[in-house]
Each structure stands twice: as structure tokens, then as C-alpha cells.
Amino acid sequence: YTNLKATRQNLAETNSVALRIHEDHKNTKAQLLATQEGVKKCAGHVKQVHEGLENTVTKLHNNIEQAQKTHAGLIQARAVLDKTRAQVTGLNEAHEVVTATTMNLQARLDDTHATVQSVKAGLRDTNSVVLPNLRMDLTRPWSQLSENSTHRKLVAKSPLNKSGPTSPDMFGMLESEQGDPFMSSS
């Protein structure tokens, strides 16, 4: 009897252990399924991170190529700017030369003008002494007309002059058109 009781008690204990093992197995299965789901999610996340990393690498290569193109463009722009700077410097130097030449010409023109004015004043003085019967036409300072020759021309062309032109001289000019023989026509 004691043996049966002990067997029953062992069987109950074994049954209890089997139940606990069964529950532990069930819990282990559930944990394994949850772990598998976690591993699947982690694998998906790793895949996304890997794709993102590949996209980042591709973008980095594109950025490197763009940076190299930009660098080449900057080198070319710098060369153009250096060339332009050299041209502007050359133009500035040429402008300074032109300015200096212009100032020199202005000074020479001022000297020439002063000389012309001096010669003109000297001619007036000379003409007033040598040819007192001549006067200078102020509207054309380079030409000199005598009052008599101007008057003769006006009289010869006047409709009141009935005498008409006289005979031409050896140069083919009428006597009334000849003017003052001491004056040169200009």
C-alpha cells in the first residue's frame, strides 16, 4: 500500500513537473515566436539601413563629382578673372598714357593759341603802321579787306552803276573785281 501511495505521489509530482515543463515549453514557444518576429523586424530594419547607406554612398559619389565639377569651374573662373584683371590693368595704363598725352596736347594747344594771338597782334600793329588805309574784317580775322576795294566791288555790282564793267586785265579779272593790289586774296 505504501508503495502505491508513494507511486501515486511520485506520479502526481511527475504530472506536476510535466505540466510545468509543458507550460515552460509553451512559454518558450511563445518567446521563440516573439524573438523570431523581433529578428524579422530587425532584419527589415537592417535592410532599410543598408539601403539608406547605399543611397547615401551614391549621393556622396554624386556630391563628390559635383564638387569636382564646381572646383574645375572655379579654377576656370579664376583664370578668366585673372585675364580680365590683366586686361583692366592694361586698359588703366593705356588710359593714363592717353590722359598724359591729352594733357600734353592741351598744353601745346595753349602755347600755339598764345603764339597765334601774339602773331595776330603783331600783324595788326604792322598793318596799322605799314598799310594805314586797310582795315581788318573782324568776322574773318585771317582776311584783310581794304575799304576802297570793298566799296569798288559794291559799286560794280550796284544796279545804279551805269558805266558797266571795264575791260579785263591779263588775269581775266575786271578792274572793279581786282581789289587792292597790295592785298593777297585768301
Side-chain angles (χ1 to χ4, degrees):
Y1 178 70
T2 49
N3 217 0
L4 186 59
K5 201 176 182 176
T7 303
R8 276 189 191 174
Q9 191 170 2
N10 277 342
L11 187 59
E13 285 177 11
T14 303
N15 195 16
S16 161
V17 169
L19 280 173
R20 269 190 261 144
I21 289 174
H22 183 67
E23 281 186 28
D24 283 345
H25 179 66
K26 196 175 172 184
N27 287 339
T28 302
K29 269 176 111 178
Q31 286 177 354
L32 181 62
L33 286 174
T35 303
Q36 284 177 343
E37 286 295 318
V39 167
K40 283 182 184 177
K41 286 181 184 178
C42 186
H45 185 65
V46 166
K47 187 178 178 182
Q48 286 178 347
V49 168
H50 183 68
E51 288 173 357
L53 185 60
E54 285 180 355
N55 287 340
T56 302
V57 167
T58 303
K59 288 179 182 177
L60 182 61
H61 284 302
N62 291 342
N63 286 343
I64 288 172
E65 289 175 7
Q66 187 65 36
Q68 289 172 342
K69 289 177 185 176
T70 303
H71 182 258
L74 286 173
I75 288 174
Q76 186 178 6
R78 178 174 287 163
V80 168
L81 282 174
D82 288 342
K83 183 179 178 182
T84 303
R85 183 180 298 125
Q87 288 174 343
V88 167
T89 301
L91 288 173
N92 191 24
E93 291 170 358
H95 177 70
E96 289 174 1
V97 168
V98 166
T99 301
T101 304
T102 303
M103 291 175 68
N104 189 13
L105 284 174
Q106 181 63 40
R108 288 183 181 180
L109 279 174
D110 290 343
D111 290 345
T112 303
H113 180 70
T115 303
V116 166
Q117 291 302 320
S118 174
V119 167
K120 184 178 173 183
L123 281 175
R124 276 191 196 140
D125 292 343
T126 302
N127 286 341
S128 68
V129 171
V130 175
L131 305 170
N133 60 342
L134 296 180
R135 69 176 173 85
M136 182 175 277
D137 184 4
L138 297 177
T139 59
R140 297 185 343 191
W142 59 86
S143 68
Q144 297 177 349
L145 300 174
S146 115
E147 267 185 60
N148 293 336
S149 67
T150 306
H151 178 69
R152 273 187 265 154
K153 285 182 184 177
L154 291 175
V155 170
K157 292 180 183 178
S158 170
L160 299 176
N161 185 7
K162 302 290 184 195
S163 66
T166 58
S167 61
D169 67 352
M170 66 179 182
F171 297 112
M173 294 179 64
L174 297 176
E175 187 178 301
S176 60
E177 294 174 337
Q178 290 178 12
D180 194 339
F182 297 107
M183 292 298 300
S184 62
S185 58
S186 50

